[in-house]
Structure formats: structure tokens, C-alpha cells
């Protein structure tokens, strides 16, 4: 899609070589629209190639270590990654639909498929129909494709704001986080991160219709789509307010006649509806699915009642506080995962403060703040909080920018390589040793 921006009251199409790349001259009139689109896509892929190759390399390290670890267990690491925990529900929905998926008894009520959002299971079903694969491997393939697109989106945002080198490092950093093992699993976080990252890229480049569209898809993929919708909505509102203020100052400073003022008014009016419409459609995915579940259950809060089986409700951080307090004051044994999750939460809060001090774009700050709020404020299983934060890629940008500034040859590569080994080792622990879901 062409690069557009809201500047001086006008929408100006500009051909670009790639997301975040330097702008180039438009192609000649002899090129057809499809050819131009393919040319831009190819240029974008070449521009992002170092980031995608780096990301693939660090995730390959994780897969290789899992394969070595699996020699002892003999269960098949790919089969295990494609069937663990929540993967069952996504694949059951893909095969039987929501109505055909049977509830599973649980200590706090029956677990039901209605707790899981539809986009990822729909993509799994499509891949299962098109490819000669069992449904679990189709689910894994879709998740991995989502991970690559997510890494590309993360690169695009970081490269746009801080340069190509930072973009490459940001994409690789996302692949070496403590819970990056989830990026090798058949989970919906990967597809969600792809939609969230591209929605944020569209927002920071003022493509509000695309931002709203990707936000809608994110809201149909995971409940944390509300964070994307809030970021797009507030970002669009901020753009409108800033543009209005700039336009008024420009008119006040003009010494020309009424003709110039009228022209300026027409320029402002030609773009106002785009951020408004983008903000309006941003929450439709989440609201639509929650409303549909309510209709299926015969009550407006049907989705939230379904979530009670997982004890998933917003308690403003009380559960998080009590778990952290128990880890500090009780003498009982503590799982390594508890320590890693607690450290991830603390590091995320610190990184968010750095993002604020470095004046990240407001859209990214709102997205990160909402993701943190939802992760810290949820009453569900404590160790899932680090996984909930996996899509909060903007928190990694200060680290990526810092590594990009290192001038010692090979220093950034050494840091990322060591992080990849640590992430892979911890991922093996989560998959083969820890007894609960990540």
C-alpha cells in the first residue's frame, strides 16, 4: 500500500521501497497497478531480509535445542509444540466449530471453546483444507507464518522510527525473549502480534484505515485486541487534535485573503474522516465477538462468564500482588518459571518508563500501557502473564536502539547470540520440565 501522511491538510501518496525505507520516485506510467504492488512488496521483503533471516536464525536455535532435548523424551518436539495446552482448543474449533466443540469439566466450571477468539482457528481450518497436513501441523504452520509476519511488522515499526539497524535488532530481540518458545508453538499470540505490529506501523505512518482494519483483526484474534483498539483510537484522536491546532495556527498566521483560508479549510476537511473511521472500526473485532458469544449464551456477559472457568477476570492487580508477595515472604519452594515471570514483569515496567522518557510515539505508549495493564491486572494463572506480554514489542525498542549504538564490532551479535542460547535453554525447560502451560 502507498505511503501516506497527514501533513498540511492534505493526503499525499508517495511510493516507497519498503516500510521504513528511504522514499523513491514513483514508477513510470507503463507499470500496471499489480506490477507496482509486487515491486513494492519485493522491495519491502529485500529491505526487511536481514531482520527476517536473523529472526529465523534465533528461532532455529530454539528448535534445535528442543529437538536435542526431545531425544531423551522421544515424544517428537514438533508434535509436542503443536498440541500443548491451548493448542487443543484452537484445533478443536478448527475441526468442529464452536457449537461442535465439547466442554471440558474444570474446578471452576466447564472449559468452553467460546473463550477463544476465531481468527486463528479459521486460518488453521483454511490451511488444513488446502494442505495435506494433519490439523496440528497446519496449526503450527499458521502460527509460524504469523511469527514471521510479526517479526516483519516489528522491524517495520522500529526501522521507521529509529533506522534499519535498530529494526533488525528489534525483530531479533523479539525472538530471544524469555518466553520466545511460545513463538514455536501453535498459539494465537503469533498471529495477534502480526496484526498488532502492522496496526502500529499503519498508525505511526498515519494510515488510519489500515490501522483500524488490522486492529479489528487483532480484536478477533485475542482479547488483548482492546489494547490495539485503544492505541489506534487515541492515536487517531491525537492526530486530529494536533492537525486542527496546526491548521488554526497556520490560518491565524496567514496574511493572505479569504481564498487562501478557504483552500486550507478544504484541505483539512479532505482528511478528517480517515482517522475518525479508523478509530471507529478499531474495536469492532473484540466487541463483535464478545457480543456474538453473549447471543449464543443468552446473556450480555456470556463471554466473561465463560472466562470464569479459567478464573480470568480483571482484579486490578490484586492476584499479581499476592503471588509476588508470597514469593518474597514464604519459605516454600518456588518454580523457576515464577522467578522468570516476576523478572519479566519488573523489566517490562522499567522498559515502559524508559519508553516514556524517550518519548515514543503516543500510539505505541498507549499500546504498551494497555498490554501491561491487562497482564498485571488479570486474575488468571500467574505464569501466563509473561506470555500475555509477548506481543508488547514496543517495550523492546529502547533495548534495540541501545544495542544499535554499540560500536564494538560484533558486540550486538554476541549479545543476541547469548540471549538466543539462554532463551532456548529456558524454552526447553518450559516445554519438557515445567508441568503447567506457559
Amino acid at each position: 500500500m502507498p505511503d501516506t501522511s497527514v501533513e498540511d491538510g492534505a493526503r499525499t501518496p508517495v511510493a516507497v521501497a519498503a516500510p521504513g525505507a528511504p522514499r523513491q520516485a514513483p514508477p513510470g506510467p507503463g507499470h500496471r497497478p499489480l506490477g507496482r504492488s509486487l515491486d513494492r512488496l519485493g522491495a519491502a521483503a529485500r529491505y526487511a531480509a536481514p531482520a527476517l533471516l536473523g529472526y529465523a536464525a534465533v528461532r532455529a536455535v530454539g528448535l534445535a535445542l528442543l529437538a536435542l532435548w526431545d531425544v531423551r523424551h522421544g515424544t517428537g518436539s514438533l508434535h509436542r509444540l503443536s498440541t500443548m495446552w491451548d493448542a487443543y482448543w484452537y484445533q478443536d474449533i478448527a475441526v468442529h466449530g464452536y457449537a461442535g466443540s465439547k466442554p471440558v469439566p474444570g474446578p471452576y466450571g466447564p472449559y468452553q471453546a467460546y473463550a477463544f477468539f476465531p481468527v486463528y482457528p479459521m486460518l488453521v481450518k483454511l490451511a488444513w483444507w488446502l494442505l495435506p497436513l494433519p490439523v496440528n501441523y497446519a496449526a503450527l504452520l499458521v502460527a509460524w507464518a504469523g511469527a514471521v509476519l510479526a517479526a516483519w511488522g516489528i522491524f517495520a515499526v522500529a526501522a521507521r522510527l529509529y533506522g534499519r539497524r535498530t529494526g533488525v535488532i528489534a525483530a531479533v530481540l523479539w525472538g530471544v525473549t524469555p518466553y520466545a518458545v511460545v513463538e514455536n508453538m501453535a498459539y494465537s499470540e503469533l498471529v495477534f502480534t502480526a496484526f498488532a505490529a502492522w496496526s502500529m506501523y499503519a498508525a505511526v505512518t498515519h494510515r488510519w484505515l489500515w490501522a483500524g482494519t488490522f486492529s479489528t483483526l487483532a480484536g478477533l484474534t485475542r482479547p488483548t485486541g482492546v489494547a490495539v483498539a485503544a492505541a489506534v483510537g487515541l492515536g487517531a484522536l491525537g492526530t486530529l487534535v494536533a492537525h486542527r491546532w496546526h491548521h488554526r495556527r497556520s490560518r491565524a498566521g496567514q496574511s493572505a485573503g479569504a481564498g487562501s483560508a478557504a483552500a486550507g479549510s478544504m484541505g483539512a476537511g479532505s482528511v478528517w474522516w480517515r482517522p475518525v473511521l479508523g478509530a471507529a472500526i478499531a474495536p469492532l473485532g473484540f466487541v463483535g465477538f464478545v457480543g456474538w458469544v453473549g447471543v449464543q449464551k443468552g446473556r450480555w456477559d456470556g463471554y466473561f462468564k465463560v472466562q470464569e472457568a479459567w478464573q480470568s477476570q480483571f482484579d486490578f492487580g490484586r492476584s499479581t500482588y499476592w503471588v509476588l508477595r508470597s514469593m518474597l515472604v514464604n519459605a516454600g519452594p518456588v518454580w523457576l518459571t515464577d522467578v522468570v515471570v516476576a523478572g519479566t514483569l519488573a523489566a517490562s515496567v522499567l522498559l515502559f518508563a524508559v519508553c516514556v522518557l524517550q518519548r515514543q510515539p503516543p500510539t505505541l505508549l498507549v499500546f504498551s500501557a494497555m498490554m501491561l495493564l491487562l497482564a498485571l491486572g488479570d486474575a488468571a494463572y500467574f505464569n501466563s502473564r509473561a506470555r500475555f506480554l509477548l506481543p508488547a514489542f514496543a517495550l523492546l525498542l529502547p533495548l534495540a536502539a541501545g544495542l544499535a549504538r554499540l560500536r564494538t564490532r560484533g558486540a550486538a551479535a554476541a549479545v543476541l547470540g547469548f540471549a538466543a542460547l539462554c532463551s532456548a535453554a529456558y524454552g526447553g525447560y518450559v516445554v519438557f520440565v515445567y508441568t503447567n502451560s506457559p
Side-chain angles (χ1 to χ4, degrees):
M1 58 186 174
D3 189 16
T4 60
S5 60
V6 180
E7 296 176 359
D8 299 328
R11 174 178 177 267
T12 306
V14 181
V16 294
R23 294 178 177 178
Q24 299 176 350
H31 288 74
R32 295 182 178 181
L34 178 59
R36 291 199 298 269
S37 297
L38 292 176
D39 288 344
R40 286 196 295 269
L41 181 61
R46 289 191 295 272
Y47 188 68
L52 300 183
L53 291 174
Y55 174 77
V58 296
R59 293 316 316 139
V61 170
L63 281 174
L65 192 143
L66 289 175
L68 291 174
W69 206 311
D70 186 57
V71 171
R72 178 180 174 183
H73 295 265
T75 57
S77 57
L78 289 183
H79 182 271
R80 190 176 182 88
L81 291 171
S82 66
T83 55
M84 291 183 68
W85 305 106
D86 289 352
Y88 159 80
W89 288 102
Y90 296 120
Q91 294 161 36
D92 196 48
I93 295 168
V95 174
H96 301 109
Y98 285 95
S101 182
K102 296 181 180 179
V104 176
Y108 303 101
Y111 299 121
Q112 300 179 58
Y114 292 100
F116 298 88
F117 282 58
V119 163
Y120 177 56
M122 290 172 60
L123 293 174
V124 171
K125 185 170 187 175
L126 178 62
W128 182 45
W129 278 354
L130 294 177
L131 300 173
L133 291 174
V135 66
N136 60 308
Y137 290 127
L140 197 60
L141 183 63
V142 170
W144 286 3
V148 172
L149 291 174
W152 192 347
I154 292 167
F155 163 80
V157 173
R160 175 82 182 193
L161 297 175
Y162 305 107
R164 190 184 189 193
R165 177 175 169 83
T166 300
V168 172
I169 293 175
V172 176
L173 267 178
W174 187 65
V176 300
T177 59
Y179 272 81
V181 66
V182 176
E183 297 168 32
N184 286 339
M185 299 170 66
Y187 267 47
S188 66
E189 276 84 358
L190 311 179
V191 174
F192 173 79
T193 305
F195 289 137
W198 284 108
S199 180
M200 294 300 99
Y201 176 77
V204 298
T205 56
H206 299 281
R207 297 174 171 115
W208 294 110
L209 296 183
W210 280 108
T213 300
F214 285 126
S215 176
T216 297
L217 292 171
L220 285 168
T221 307
R222 287 193 60 78
T224 42
V226 296
V228 185
V232 171
L234 292 176
L237 176 62
T239 295
L240 281 174
V241 171
H243 181 69
R244 181 81 172 171
W245 178 80
H246 174 73
H247 179 65
R248 284 185 174 180
R249 287 198 62 183
S250 298
R251 284 203 310 174
Q254 285 177 351
S255 58
S260 298
S265 297
M266 289 178 63
S270 66
V271 296
W272 69 268
W273 61 272
R274 292 180 180 274
V276 169
L277 182 56
I281 65 176
L284 292 184
F286 174 82
V287 173
F289 180 73
V290 170
W292 177 77
V293 174
V295 171
Q296 299 302 308
K297 293 299 177 182
R299 52 186 300 167
W300 71 269
D301 61 345
Y303 170 77
F304 303 101
K305 295 299 291 184
V306 168
Q307 286 282 18
E308 287 182 0
W310 280 270
Q311 292 187 292
S312 181
Q313 56 186 347
F314 193 78
D315 69 351
F316 299 93
R318 286 193 295 272
S319 298
T320 303
Y321 167 75
W322 284 110
V323 171
L324 293 174
R325 183 180 183 276
S326 176
M327 290 172 58
L328 292 173
V329 303
N330 293 339
V334 176
W335 279 92
L336 174 61
T337 50
D338 296 333
V339 177
V340 172
V341 171
T344 300
L345 294 178
S348 297
V349 172
L350 176 61
L351 286 172
F352 178 72
V354 175
C355 292
V356 173
L357 293 174
Q358 292 184 347
R359 298 184 179 180
Q360 269 190 11
T363 305
L364 293 181
L365 291 177
V366 172
F367 174 60
S368 298
M370 287 293 296
M371 292 296 293
L372 273 171
L373 181 66
L374 294 172
L376 293 170
D378 194 87
Y381 174 53
F382 176 75
N383 285 343
S384 63
R385 285 159 170 73
R387 174 167 57 87
F388 292 166
L389 283 173
L390 190 65
F393 68 91
L395 296 174
L396 299 174
L397 297 187
L399 292 177
L403 287 173
R405 288 192 293 269
L406 293 178
R407 295 306 174 197
T408 304
R409 186 177 180 86
V415 171
L416 293 172
F418 179 73
L421 292 174
C422 293
S423 176
Y426 181 68
Y429 172 84
V430 169
V431 171
F432 292 109
V433 178
Y434 187 54
T435 57
N436 290 316
S437 63

